[in-house]
Each structure stands twice: as C-alpha cells, then as structure tokens.
Amino acid sequence: MKQPTAICPSILAADFSELGKELDRISHADAIHIDIMDGHFVPNISFGPMLAYAVRKTTNTPLDIHLMVTEPEAVIMQLAPLKPEYITVHYESCVHLQRVVSAIRANGSKAGVALNPHTPIEGIKYLLADIDLILVMSVNPGYGGQQFISSMLTKIADVHQMIQGRNIRLQVDGGVTQDNVGRIVQAGADMIVAGSAIFTAEHANNYIDTMRKTTS
Ligand code: DX5
Ligand code: ZN
C-alpha cells in the first residue's frame, strides 16, 4: 500500500549562518534531508557528519542522510552513534553494495540506495530485501537549484512497479517544487526532497504543508 507523502527539506539550501532559525522554519518536515558531499563523488563539497550531530541537537525530526561520497563506509561508521532514521548511499559509490546497506541496517538505520539519472534500476533488483528506500535522483547530484529532469517521471513509475508489495520508500530528489510534486507523486514517489523551493519560500512551513496537501 502507498504510504502518505513525506516531505523532506534539504538543508543544503538553508542559511548556515542561521541554522537554528532555519530548522525552526521547517518544523513541519517529516524528515530533514542532509546532503554530505566529498568533492570526489560529486564536484562539490558541502559538510560532513558533524553537521548531522549539530542538527540532532536542535530537533527531534527524523534525519535522512544522503551520502554523495566515494567511500561511504567510513562516514557510515561516524554516523553510527547518531542512528539517523535513513542513510542513503549511491549505487556507483559501492563496489560491494549489499555489504554496505547491511552495515547501515546493522548500525540501526534504514538503508537507502540512490540512483543517478543515468543509472539503470535493474542493478538493485536482487537487493530489494536488503533496502528500505530507493532514491531516484531527478538532477545530477552535487548542487541544489537545478532543473527537474522530466524523463525521471518514467523512471519513478518503473521503480514503483519494481517495488510493488514491498515495504520500500520511493524518494525523489532534485528540482522538486509545488508545481511538479503532484506529477512526481502520481508516478509513485512517496518521499519528496526539496531544497531551494522550500527555503526560498517566505513561509517554509506553509510551503511544506501545501506540498503535502497537493499530494494527498
Ligand atoms: C543535490 C542534492 C539535493 C539538493 C536538492 O545533489 O542531493 O538534495 O539539495 O536541491 P533542490 O531541491 O534545490 O534541487
Ligand atoms: Zn540529496
């Protein structure tokens, strides 16, 4: 059965000089999406696991960590004491993906696998029992504020089909706004990440509420 849509603001788009206030602005969020980037797997560097610890000090909202790093194992171990609700790794960043997602679960988090726009979905077909979330990237990872790649609507529908009857969340990340979220959820997504759309809104919590309402 389809789960209610979860709205996950990406703090990559927050004003870091006012992080506490920014977190207050998104108190209606279902989870806080934290993009860790290492400058190798993606061309950009954002912040490390320490930021997730800082966010946890300020809020009890579940944490959804998106690792865009070449060697996620070390970061997963650094995050282990925090037990974030979700940790997601990229398909291309793991030579032994089943081992990595098992380690995430063993440390008490739910395990996600992210697929870049070009990544075929078949590669995770045999890991469906080992994962709790599939993240369909609807932009090339590395930066906020990019345009949603519309062909990803077909991919979302294909993933939705593949996970029928399983307890796996289908998350979409990149270029999501109030205008396209309806089509994305219609295609099968049940977890929505949005950075710039939410944080540039005058009332971020209202924006979150509208996104959730549009999709229910
Ligand atoms: C991109 C990140 C996204 C980013 C989304 O690599 O994974 O989470 O923050 O930003 P918007 O919603 O602005 O596209
Ligand atoms: Zn992300």
Side-chain angles (χ1 to χ4, degrees):
M1 214 182 77
K2 197 155 182 301
Q3 314 230 31
T5 309
I7 308 295
C8 316
S10 165
I11 57 161
L12 190 65
D15 176 352
F16 298 142
S17 71
E18 304 257 31
L19 193 56
K21 282 189 193 154
E22 289 286 72
L23 290 169
D24 288 344
R25 290 180 68 222
I26 56 160
S27 57
H28 295 187
D30 296 290
I32 297 172
H33 185 83
I34 300 183
D35 290 303
I36 297 184
M37 304 180 182
D38 67 353
H40 292 282
F41 185 72
V42 288
N44 195 13
I45 297 175
S46 56
F47 35 72
M50 296 301 290
L51 192 88
Y53 282 86
V55 171
R56 171 51 75 238
K57 269 191 178 170
T58 329
T59 170
N60 286 321
T61 305
L63 303 183
D64 168 39
I65 316 270
H66 178 188
L67 295 182
M68 286 161 273
V69 305
T70 48
E71 282 167 14
E73 291 88 340
V75 184
I76 290 164
M77 291 322 289
Q78 282 176 279
L79 288 167
L82 187 65
K83 291 201 193 325
E85 182 88 355
Y86 289 96
I87 299 181
T88 296
V89 293
H90 271 259
Y91 178 81
E92 281 85 2
S93 71
C94 303
V95 179
H96 306 290
L97 182 59
Q98 201 275 346
R99 177 180 287 154
V100 175
V101 290
S102 300
I104 294 172
R105 279 184 165 179
N107 285 320
S109 295
K110 292 178 182 148
V113 175
L115 306 174
N116 279 328
H118 73 278
T119 310
I121 70 172
E122 286 72 24
I124 50 170
K125 190 172 145 192
Y126 303 106
L127 293 192
L128 297 181
D130 301 299
I131 61 178
D132 305 286
L133 177 149
I134 296 172
L135 166 51
V136 173
M137 288 303 302
S138 42
V139 298
N140 290 292
Y143 302 97
Q146 302 180 78
Q147 268 283 222
F148 181 86
I149 300 170
S150 58
S151 53
M152 291 303 107
L153 286 171
T154 312
K155 188 174 187 177
I156 296 162
D158 289 346
V159 172
H160 180 60
Q161 182 68 31
M162 183 172 76
I163 61 176
Q164 278 301 313
R166 290 184 183 268
N167 190 18
I168 297 178
R169 303 298 301 247
L170 205 178
Q171 187 176 57
V172 174
D173 182 8
V176 185
T177 67
Q178 273 177 359
D179 297 332
N180 60 15
V181 70
R183 278 176 284 145
I184 293 165
V185 170
Q186 194 75 39
D190 58 28
M191 263 182 112
I192 294 296
V193 177
S196 33
I198 290 175
F199 281 99
T200 59
E202 194 184 346
H203 299 293
N205 268 335
N206 291 352
Y207 200 95
I208 292 169
D209 294 342
T210 307
M211 275 189 138
R212 199 185 284 112
K213 226 181 292 160
T214 309
T215 59
S216 59

